[in-house]
Amino acid sequence: MPVALITGASAGLGLALTRALAVQGWTLVIDARGEDALRRVAEETGAHAIAGDIADPAHRAELAAAAGPELDLLVNNASLLGPSPQPKLGGYPLDELAAVYRVDVFAPLALSQLVLPALIAAKGTIINVSSDAAVEAYEGWGGYGSAKAALDQLTAVLGVENPELAVYAFDPGDMRTAMHQRAFPGEDISDRPEPETVVPAFLRLLSGRVPSGRYQASKL
């Protein structure tokens, strides 16, 4: 059975992807900060759950060890929005911006570095979950958006440097998630699609083995 490591798997898109791959028979290693929610996902899907902070090197090492010597898929989905409501860059607290970058940029790269030999052994796939805020200049999204833009560039270079792998930045578009709600406190986001609606596009990207690059769910 193929093996996948999915971060941020207790809710939102990470949970939807975990459920979909479990149905397909994948062996899953999943992580999230919330231990109780992650345990419930593990009970439902049979995944091996390791709770922790993806910005913690010891936690990343534990995930890499659990994934084993051959890894077919790494999904860097865990991310940090930053302050809510989103501040303009002119007043963005730099310590909080550093925290966003630790989770959204440095942690995905660090985890990719740890599991790269296992991915190469399996001729596997890396999918880094991006955002339209990485390419569009939205007021108040300078922190999260610039972090995702940096992740997009890391993804592109990893793909060039590792031609034996498929390395994708995946932009799911707007979704009705808790993180999206935090970005718009007090607003009604019920018009946004559920994360499950994005899963078919993700699976098409995963199965199609298209060239490494950046892909939008709406165009897959």
Side-chain angles (χ1 to χ4, degrees), residues 5-10 29-33 38 48-54 59 63 78:
L5 169 54
I6 304 174
T7 67
S10 65
V29 178
I30 59 173
D31 116 302
R33 286 187 290 266
L38 191 67
H48 177 42
I50 304 174
D53 184 350
I54 198 63
H59 176 59
L63 290 173

PDB file of all heavy atoms in Angstrom, residues 5-10 29-33 38 48-54 59 63 78:
ATOM      1  N   LEU A   5       2.208  11.026   4.204  1.00  0.00           N
ATOM      2  CA  LEU A   5       2.358  11.824   5.418  1.00  0.00           C
ATOM      3  C   LEU A   5       1.632  13.145   5.180  1.00  0.00           C
ATOM      4  O   LEU A   5       1.959  13.877   4.243  1.00  0.00           O
ATOM      5  CB  LEU A   5       3.839  12.065   5.703  1.00  0.00           C
ATOM      6  CG  LEU A   5       4.222  13.091   6.781  1.00  0.00           C
ATOM      7  CD1 LEU A   5       3.545  12.790   8.103  1.00  0.00           C
ATOM      8  CD2 LEU A   5       5.736  13.131   6.946  1.00  0.00           C
ATOM      9  N   ILE A   6       0.622  13.427   6.007  1.00  0.00           N
ATOM     10  CA  ILE A   6      -0.217  14.612   5.844  1.00  0.00           C
ATOM     11  C   ILE A   6      -0.164  15.429   7.121  1.00  0.00           C
ATOM     12  O   ILE A   6      -0.500  14.934   8.206  1.00  0.00           O
ATOM     13  CB  ILE A   6      -1.681  14.239   5.535  1.00  0.00           C
ATOM     14  CG1 ILE A   6      -1.767  13.333   4.301  1.00  0.00           C
ATOM     15  CG2 ILE A   6      -2.531  15.490   5.345  1.00  0.00           C
ATOM     16  CD1 ILE A   6      -3.161  12.808   4.025  1.00  0.00           C
ATOM     17  N   THR A   7       0.226  16.692   7.004  1.00  0.00           N
ATOM     18  CA  THR A   7       0.230  17.562   8.179  1.00  0.00           C
ATOM     19  C   THR A   7      -1.059  18.382   8.221  1.00  0.00           C
ATOM     20  O   THR A   7      -1.714  18.606   7.210  1.00  0.00           O
ATOM     21  CB  THR A   7       1.445  18.507   8.165  1.00  0.00           C
ATOM     22  OG1 THR A   7       1.326  19.444   7.080  1.00  0.00           O
ATOM     23  CG2 THR A   7       2.749  17.722   8.013  1.00  0.00           C
ATOM     24  N   GLY A   8      -1.416  18.793   9.427  1.00  0.00           N
ATOM     25  CA  GLY A   8      -2.650  19.557   9.590  1.00  0.00           C
ATOM     26  C   GLY A   8      -3.878  18.750   9.220  1.00  0.00           C
ATOM     27  O   GLY A   8      -4.772  19.250   8.521  1.00  0.00           O
ATOM     28  N   ALA A   9      -3.946  17.510   9.712  1.00  0.00           N
ATOM     29  CA  ALA A   9      -4.962  16.570   9.233  1.00  0.00           C
ATOM     30  C   ALA A   9      -6.202  16.470  10.112  1.00  0.00           C
ATOM     31  O   ALA A   9      -7.069  15.639   9.835  1.00  0.00           O
ATOM     32  CB  ALA A   9      -4.339  15.172   9.094  1.00  0.00           C
ATOM     33  N   SER A  10      -6.314  17.295  11.136  1.00  0.00           N
ATOM     34  CA  SER A  10      -7.438  17.144  12.058  1.00  0.00           C
ATOM     35  C   SER A  10      -8.686  17.909  11.634  1.00  0.00           C
ATOM     36  O   SER A  10      -9.755  17.712  12.205  1.00  0.00           O
ATOM     37  CB  SER A  10      -7.025  17.602  13.464  1.00  0.00           C
ATOM     38  OG  SER A  10      -6.743  18.995  13.471  1.00  0.00           O
ATOM     39  N   VAL A  29       0.211   8.564   7.796  1.00  0.00           N
ATOM     40  CA  VAL A  29       0.778   9.176   8.998  1.00  0.00           C
ATOM     41  C   VAL A  29       0.280  10.617   9.005  1.00  0.00           C
ATOM     42  O   VAL A  29       0.451  11.338   8.022  1.00  0.00           O
ATOM     43  CB  VAL A  29       2.314   9.144   8.992  1.00  0.00           C
ATOM     44  CG1 VAL A  29       2.869   9.828  10.240  1.00  0.00           C
ATOM     45  CG2 VAL A  29       2.825   7.717   8.894  1.00  0.00           C
ATOM     46  N   ILE A  30      -0.370  11.026  10.099  1.00  0.00           N
ATOM     47  CA  ILE A  30      -0.992  12.341  10.131  1.00  0.00           C
ATOM     48  C   ILE A  30      -0.567  13.100  11.377  1.00  0.00           C
ATOM     49  O   ILE A  30      -0.208  12.504  12.396  1.00  0.00           O
ATOM     50  CB  ILE A  30      -2.535  12.249  10.076  1.00  0.00           C
ATOM     51  CG1 ILE A  30      -3.087  11.437  11.255  1.00  0.00           C
ATOM     52  CG2 ILE A  30      -2.977  11.640   8.757  1.00  0.00           C
ATOM     53  CD1 ILE A  30      -4.603  11.436  11.359  1.00  0.00           C
ATOM     54  N   ASP A  31      -0.626  14.422  11.261  1.00  0.00           N
ATOM     55  CA  ASP A  31      -0.261  15.259  12.397  1.00  0.00           C
ATOM     56  C   ASP A  31      -1.219  16.445  12.495  1.00  0.00           C
ATOM     57  O   ASP A  31      -1.876  16.821  11.521  1.00  0.00           O
ATOM     58  CB  ASP A  31       1.199  15.731  12.261  1.00  0.00           C
ATOM     59  CG  ASP A  31       1.351  17.227  12.103  1.00  0.00           C
ATOM     60  OD1 ASP A  31       0.777  17.784  11.134  1.00  0.00           O
ATOM     61  OD2 ASP A  31       2.026  17.842  12.923  1.00  0.00           O
ATOM     62  N   ALA A  32      -1.280  17.012  13.696  1.00  0.00           N
ATOM     63  CA  ALA A  32      -1.983  18.257  13.966  1.00  0.00           C
ATOM     64  C   ALA A  32      -1.622  18.656  15.386  1.00  0.00           C
ATOM     65  O   ALA A  32      -1.096  17.847  16.161  1.00  0.00           O
ATOM     66  CB  ALA A  32      -3.496  18.109  13.813  1.00  0.00           C
ATOM     67  N   ARG A  33      -1.911  19.896  15.735  1.00  0.00           N
ATOM     68  CA  ARG A  33      -1.594  20.342  17.094  1.00  0.00           C
ATOM     69  C   ARG A  33      -2.587  19.802  18.116  1.00  0.00           C
ATOM     70  O   ARG A  33      -2.218  19.532  19.254  1.00  0.00           O
ATOM     71  CB  ARG A  33      -1.568  21.872  17.142  1.00  0.00           C
ATOM     72  CG  ARG A  33      -0.355  22.480  16.483  1.00  0.00           C
ATOM     73  CD  ARG A  33      -0.298  23.982  16.697  1.00  0.00           C
ATOM     74  NE  ARG A  33      -1.340  24.673  15.958  1.00  0.00           N
ATOM     75  CZ  ARG A  33      -1.180  25.189  14.743  1.00  0.00           C
ATOM     76  NH1 ARG A  33      -0.023  25.082  14.128  1.00  0.00           N
ATOM     77  NH2 ARG A  33      -2.160  25.815  14.133  1.00  0.00           N
ATOM     78  N   LEU A  38      -7.185  14.979  16.568  1.00  0.00           N
ATOM     79  CA  LEU A  38      -6.372  14.095  15.732  1.00  0.00           C
ATOM     80  C   LEU A  38      -6.636  12.633  16.073  1.00  0.00           C
ATOM     81  O   LEU A  38      -6.686  11.782  15.173  1.00  0.00           O
ATOM     82  CB  LEU A  38      -4.894  14.427  15.923  1.00  0.00           C
ATOM     83  CG  LEU A  38      -3.941  13.774  14.913  1.00  0.00           C
ATOM     84  CD1 LEU A  38      -4.175  14.330  13.514  1.00  0.00           C
ATOM     85  CD2 LEU A  38      -2.492  13.987  15.336  1.00  0.00           C
ATOM     86  N   HIS A  48      -2.004   6.570  11.429  1.00  0.00           N
ATOM     87  CA  HIS A  48      -1.090   6.671  12.560  1.00  0.00           C
ATOM     88  C   HIS A  48      -0.953   8.147  12.907  1.00  0.00           C
ATOM     89  O   HIS A  48      -0.396   8.915  12.120  1.00  0.00           O
ATOM     90  CB  HIS A  48       0.268   6.068  12.202  1.00  0.00           C
ATOM     91  CG  HIS A  48       1.296   6.189  13.287  1.00  0.00           C
ATOM     92  ND1 HIS A  48       1.013   5.978  14.606  1.00  0.00           N
ATOM     93  CD2 HIS A  48       2.623   6.503  13.227  1.00  0.00           C
ATOM     94  CE1 HIS A  48       2.110   6.143  15.331  1.00  0.00           C
ATOM     95  NE2 HIS A  48       3.096   6.474  14.510  1.00  0.00           N
ATOM     96  N   ALA A  49      -1.460   8.547  14.063  1.00  0.00           N
ATOM     97  CA  ALA A  49      -1.533   9.951  14.433  1.00  0.00           C
ATOM     98  C   ALA A  49      -0.418  10.317  15.396  1.00  0.00           C
ATOM     99  O   ALA A  49      -0.168   9.609  16.378  1.00  0.00           O
ATOM    100  CB  ALA A  49      -2.883  10.258  15.068  1.00  0.00           C
ATOM    101  N   ILE A  50       0.247  11.440  15.108  1.00  0.00           N
ATOM    102  CA  ILE A  50       1.284  11.975  15.986  1.00  0.00           C
ATOM    103  C   ILE A  50       0.985  13.452  16.195  1.00  0.00           C
ATOM    104  O   ILE A  50       1.189  14.273  15.290  1.00  0.00           O
ATOM    105  CB  ILE A  50       2.686  11.797  15.380  1.00  0.00           C
ATOM    106  CG1 ILE A  50       2.949  10.313  15.065  1.00  0.00           C
ATOM    107  CG2 ILE A  50       3.755  12.335  16.330  1.00  0.00           C
ATOM    108  CD1 ILE A  50       4.262  10.071  14.332  1.00  0.00           C
ATOM    109  N   ALA A  51       0.489  13.799  17.361  1.00  0.00           N
ATOM    110  CA  ALA A  51       0.137  15.190  17.644  1.00  0.00           C
ATOM    111  C   ALA A  51       1.381  15.998  17.977  1.00  0.00           C
ATOM    112  O   ALA A  51       2.315  15.490  18.619  1.00  0.00           O
ATOM    113  CB  ALA A  51      -0.863  15.255  18.800  1.00  0.00           C
ATOM    114  N   GLY A  52       1.383  17.243  17.539  1.00  0.00           N
ATOM    115  CA  GLY A  52       2.509  18.108  17.848  1.00  0.00           C
ATOM    116  C   GLY A  52       2.524  19.334  16.968  1.00  0.00           C
ATOM    117  O   GLY A  52       1.679  19.504  16.088  1.00  0.00           O
ATOM    118  N   ASP A  53       3.513  20.180  17.213  1.00  0.00           N
ATOM    119  CA  ASP A  53       3.677  21.434  16.480  1.00  0.00           C
ATOM    120  C   ASP A  53       4.670  21.212  15.352  1.00  0.00           C
ATOM    121  O   ASP A  53       5.824  20.841  15.583  1.00  0.00           O
ATOM    122  CB  ASP A  53       4.191  22.505  17.443  1.00  0.00           C
ATOM    123  CG  ASP A  53       4.315  23.879  16.805  1.00  0.00           C
ATOM    124  OD1 ASP A  53       4.181  23.984  15.558  1.00  0.00           O
ATOM    125  OD2 ASP A  53       4.558  24.849  17.540  1.00  0.00           O
ATOM    126  N   ILE A  54       4.242  21.427  14.115  1.00  0.00           N
ATOM    127  CA  ILE A  54       5.093  21.167  12.959  1.00  0.00           C
ATOM    128  C   ILE A  54       6.331  22.064  12.957  1.00  0.00           C
ATOM    129  O   ILE A  54       7.325  21.767  12.273  1.00  0.00           O
ATOM    130  CB  ILE A  54       4.283  21.332  11.648  1.00  0.00           C
ATOM    131  CG1 ILE A  54       4.999  20.660  10.480  1.00  0.00           C
ATOM    132  CG2 ILE A  54       4.005  22.796  11.364  1.00  0.00           C
ATOM    133  CD1 ILE A  54       5.161  19.182  10.613  1.00  0.00           C
ATOM    134  N   HIS A  59       9.359  17.089  16.738  1.00  0.00           N
ATOM    135  CA  HIS A  59       8.105  16.547  16.197  1.00  0.00           C
ATOM    136  C   HIS A  59       8.278  16.161  14.733  1.00  0.00           C
ATOM    137  O   HIS A  59       7.827  15.092  14.307  1.00  0.00           O
ATOM    138  CB  HIS A  59       6.987  17.583  16.345  1.00  0.00           C
ATOM    139  CG  HIS A  59       5.680  17.164  15.747  1.00  0.00           C
ATOM    140  ND1 HIS A  59       4.998  16.042  16.136  1.00  0.00           N
ATOM    141  CD2 HIS A  59       4.941  17.724  14.747  1.00  0.00           C
ATOM    142  CE1 HIS A  59       3.894  15.919  15.429  1.00  0.00           C
ATOM    143  NE2 HIS A  59       3.840  16.933  14.579  1.00  0.00           N
ATOM    144  N   LEU A  63       7.755  12.434  12.927  1.00  0.00           N
ATOM    145  CA  LEU A  63       6.929  12.180  11.743  1.00  0.00           C
ATOM    146  C   LEU A  63       7.738  11.470  10.656  1.00  0.00           C
ATOM    147  O   LEU A  63       7.258  10.515  10.038  1.00  0.00           O
ATOM    148  CB  LEU A  63       6.378  13.501  11.201  1.00  0.00           C
ATOM    149  CG  LEU A  63       5.323  14.218  12.034  1.00  0.00           C
ATOM    150  CD1 LEU A  63       5.025  15.592  11.428  1.00  0.00           C
ATOM    151  CD2 LEU A  63       4.050  13.392  12.134  1.00  0.00           C
ATOM    152  N   ALA A  78      -0.400  21.828   6.938  1.00  0.00           N
ATOM    153  CA  ALA A  78      -0.488  22.636   8.156  1.00  0.00           C
ATOM    154  C   ALA A  78       0.002  24.051   7.880  1.00  0.00           C
ATOM    155  O   ALA A  78       1.023  24.248   7.221  1.00  0.00           O
ATOM    156  CB  ALA A  78       0.352  22.001   9.257  1.00  0.00           C
TER     157      ALA A  78
END
